[in-house]
Amino acid sequence: MRESLKRLASDDGMERRVGSKRRVRVELLDGEHITIDVDRKARGSDLLDQVCERLNVLEKDFFGLLYLLRGDPRVWVDLNRRLSKTFRNEPWDVRFAVKFYPPEPSELKDDTARFQISLAVRRDLAEGHLSCSAITHALLASYVLQAELGDYEPAHSLTTELARLKVVPVSALTDTLEENIERLYKKHKGQSPAEAELNYLENAKKLSLFGAELHGARDSSDIDIALAVCAHGVSVYRDGLLMNRFPWTKMLKISYNKRCYTLKLRANEFDEYETHLSFKLPSTRACKKLWRCSVEHHMFFRREAPVKVERVLGFPRLGSRRLSCRRTLRQMRAEPELPREITA
């Protein structure tokens, strides 16, 4: 009886359960949605592979899948875990997203992966998650227009195209900004879409929060701060201003205990002992999420290969043992050049 009521509550409930298959709705970086049928025993990596195959993305390890959990919209799907254990109720809704932003976009071998990463940056700028100066906004928007529309033509209505492509927040679009965009757009004549997208990312990577995942916390003085985890390490921001930066090379250990997140830094030439920095997170769940994000970023950008975290016999289990990182950046760069399609 209970199962019948669940099916009646959903118009497509019969469509989602087809034998041993489960239907997943995936939101793409351009805002479109696709549906993918996966096996009931499929893991997160199987779903990510299917999404990347549908989009023709070859460098899949830069990407991941986000889902909503207990009000938090930015929880990463565990690639090593069965989807049926991650999602308790149907429908299964996920968002395709960039998990590891490449510090050097020019080293990307896959044009489709570069396009998807540029879509992610465009979305962050349009939604206000990533900020920049007005002139940088104009430069980035001009590269988007070149990639999407080709060479400048007077017949193009820039106001209409900027609104359609969502490259600038509506509140930030002024007559002066539009004039600067048009002036810069004219200078890109002759650039192919791939060249324009690369130039877009080469300028976007200079932004302070490019590719950073932000986590709200409090410092030792109980002041609100934001911890930003990215390819280079962990940074501390207060009121949008950079206060400190801790590169991966300086870290000896990353740990957490309940709501306390701790970084152990190696001693420099002026210090006799290592430094321990602790930050307080809103909850144990938030602290574990930050710790996991830090370890996965360190593993992807610094390690030769993924390291499996094993439990030591005789000691209590502290921290998570599930890390979603299939290959590191070094492993990806060691692969031969990806085959490229030749079009007539």
Side-chain angles (χ1 to χ4, degrees):
M1 180 66 180
R2 186 174 299 174
E3 183 66 21
S4 299
L5 291 174
K6 286 183 179 180
R7 294 189 179 185
L8 287 173
S10 175
D11 294 336
D12 56 348
M14 295 295 293
E15 295 179 359
R16 289 198 183 97
R17 291 181 176 269
V18 183
S20 61
K21 296 288 185 178
R22 294 293 181 270
R23 180 155 294 179
V24 185
R25 193 173 75 147
V26 184
E27 181 184 344
L28 304 179
L29 287 164
D30 59 1
E32 299 293 326
H33 289 81
I34 61 174
T35 56
I36 293 180
D37 292 328
V38 298
D39 188 85
R40 183 173 57 85
K41 296 182 180 180
R43 298 181 182 273
S45 57
D46 300 322
L47 176 58
L48 179 60
D49 288 341
Q50 288 195 48
V51 175
C52 290
E53 183 178 353
R54 184 80 67 90
L55 298 173
N56 197 28
V57 172
L58 300 180
E59 293 183 287
K60 299 178 287 188
D61 296 275
F62 289 111
F63 301 90
L65 300 169
L66 292 168
Y67 70 105
L68 176 67
L69 178 64
R70 299 180 182 178
D72 185 355
R74 291 193 57 85
V75 179
W76 293 101
V77 172
D78 190 336
L79 300 182
N80 302 315
R81 193 181 189 190
R82 281 173 52 174
L83 293 169
S84 58
K85 293 185 177 181
T86 299
F87 299 97
R88 301 299 181 186
N89 302 309
E90 296 187 45
W92 294 355
D93 286 317
V94 299
R95 287 192 294 131
F96 182 66
V98 181
K99 186 171 186 179
F100 304 112
Y101 285 76
E104 294 298 332
S106 60
E107 296 181 359
L108 287 167
K109 304 174 184 178
D110 181 15
D111 291 340
T112 308
R114 184 184 299 116
F115 172 66
Q116 293 295 329
I117 293 172
S118 68
L119 283 179
V121 178
R122 285 163 53 178
R123 187 169 185 169
D124 287 342
L125 282 167
E127 295 178 353
H129 301 310
L130 192 60
S131 60
C132 63
S133 64
I135 189 61
T136 303
H137 249 317
L139 180 61
L140 294 176
S142 67
Y143 281 123
V144 173
L145 293 175
Q146 181 67 28
E148 295 285 350
L149 305 177
D151 292 341
Y152 172 82
E153 293 182 6
H156 289 148
S157 172
L158 291 188
T159 303
T160 303
E161 294 298 337
L162 289 171
R164 180 179 67 86
L165 297 172
K166 299 178 181 179
V167 293
V168 178
V170 177
S171 58
L173 187 58
T174 61
D175 293 339
T176 303
L177 180 59
E178 189 170 331
E179 290 174 3
N180 288 331
I181 293 173
E182 183 177 6
R183 176 177 55 82
L184 293 169
Y185 180 20
K186 293 177 181 178
K187 296 182 179 181
H188 304 328
K189 184 177 181 180
Q191 290 187 17
S192 66
E195 291 172 336
E197 286 164 6
L198 178 58
N199 288 327
Y200 177 87
L201 290 176
E202 284 294 324
N203 284 275
K205 76 176 185 181
K206 300 173 185 178
L207 300 177
S208 60
L209 290 176
F210 172 77
E213 187 163 329
L214 296 177
H215 300 257
R218 287 177 174 268
D219 61 12
S220 58
S221 301
D222 206 30
I223 297 175
D224 289 331
I225 60 170
L227 296 176
V229 183
C230 67
H232 306 291
V234 180
S235 301
V236 180
Y237 286 83
R238 183 188 299 172
D239 297 328
L241 299 177
L242 176 64
M243 304 302 296
N244 217 330
R245 181 182 288 115
F246 308 109
W248 298 125
T249 53
K250 196 175 180 180
M251 295 186 196
L252 293 174
K253 186 178 180 181
I254 307 170
S255 60
Y256 80 95
N257 183 16
K258 296 182 179 179
R259 295 170 55 194
C260 185
Y261 170 83
T262 304
L263 298 176
K264 181 180 178 181
L265 308 178
R266 67 176 73 252
N268 56 34
E269 56 182 338
F270 303 107
D271 297 327
E272 185 177 354
Y273 303 103
E274 295 89 358
T275 302
H276 291 76
L277 297 175
S278 295
F279 305 91
K280 185 178 293 185
L281 276 291
S283 64
T284 302
R285 181 179 296 275
C287 196
K288 179 179 177 180
K289 179 182 177 181
L290 172 57
W291 173 86
R292 184 171 176 174
C293 174
S294 305
V295 173
E296 288 178 346
H297 273 72
H298 178 270
M299 188 180 297
F300 182 80
F301 290 107
R302 297 291 302 173
R303 292 281 189 172
E304 293 283 351
V307 178
K308 187 176 181 181
V309 183
E310 300 285 357
R311 180 179 179 182
V312 180
L313 295 177
F315 288 86
R317 177 171 178 169
L318 299 175
S320 173
R321 297 295 183 268
R322 308 188 68 89
L323 300 174
S324 290
C325 181
R326 293 187 292 181
R327 292 188 305 168
T328 65
L329 185 60
R330 295 188 186 185
Q331 288 177 315
M332 296 175 65
R333 292 292 168 260
E335 290 186 346
E337 190 75 13
L338 295 172
R340 298 183 183 275
E341 296 182 0
I342 301 176
T343 56

